[in-house]
């Protein structure tokens, strides 16, 4: 599902569990590293705090209107070193995707993941 949505060449994920957070890290020859992070028990307040942490870490965010209950983006780097991050909250679940793919591709993946939860 991840490869189809992102147009990537990723291998099997490495999964890390930490309470309400699950992080899946993928690696691919062309795609590089891709991170898919799930957090449960989220709400508008904790989502805003997560966004504030991005901004405080000199990783400026932008609103991503019209997706899920709320969403924002971040871009780091440029050219072949550019990484996009889309973070969205639907109900009490937050999904973050960081990859070289476009925000539209990351949204497609997150929509598929939200629909399976």
């Amino acid at each position: 599902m991840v490869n189809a949505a992102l147009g990537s060449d990723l291998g099997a994920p490495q999964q890390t569990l930490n309470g309400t957070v699950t992080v899946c890290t993928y690696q691919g020859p062309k795609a590089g590293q891709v991170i898919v992070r799930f957090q449960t028990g989220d709400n508008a307040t904790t989502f805003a705090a997560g966004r504030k942490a991005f901004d405080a870490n000199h990783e400026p965010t932008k609103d991503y209107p019209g997706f899920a209950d709320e969403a924002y983006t971040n871009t780091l780097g440029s050219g072949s070193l550019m990484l996009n991050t889309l973070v969205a909250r639907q109900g009490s679940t937050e999904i973050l995707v960081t990859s070289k793919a476009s925000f539209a591709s990351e949204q497609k993946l997150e929509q598929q993941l939200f629909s399976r939860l």
Side-chain angles (χ1 to χ4, degrees):
M1 178 187 338
V2 175
N3 281 326
L6 301 180
S8 55
D9 58 347
L10 303 168
Q14 296 291 321
Q15 182 177 318
T16 304
L17 302 172
N18 185 9
T20 62
V21 176
T22 301
V23 178
C24 298
T25 306
Y26 300 82
Q27 194 72 35
K30 288 192 256 176
Q33 187 177 51
V34 171
I35 297 170
V36 179
R37 179 184 181 275
F38 302 86
Q39 181 172 333
T40 58
D42 209 13
N43 59 42
T45 302
T46 55
F47 189 78
R51 182 175 183 175
K52 195 174 196 178
F54 264 83
D55 291 326
N57 197 40
H58 306 289
E59 299 178 42
T61 61
K62 293 182 181 177
D63 288 335
Y64 194 80
F67 178 50
D69 291 338
E70 53 186 329
Y72 62 88
T73 63
N74 166 267
T75 299
L76 289 178
S78 62
S80 65
L81 300 177
M82 185 170 69
L83 290 174
N84 289 319
T85 298
L86 174 62
V87 186
R89 181 184 65 83
Q90 183 72 48
S92 63
T93 302
E94 175 184 307
I95 299 175
L96 171 150
V97 175
T98 298
S99 72
K100 292 180 181 179
S102 68
F103 293 126
S105 294
E106 291 179 345
Q107 178 182 348
K108 179 180 176 182
L109 174 59
E110 290 188 18
Q111 284 173 315
Q112 291 173 355
L113 293 170
F114 279 129
S115 73
R116 291 178 177 230
L117 299 175

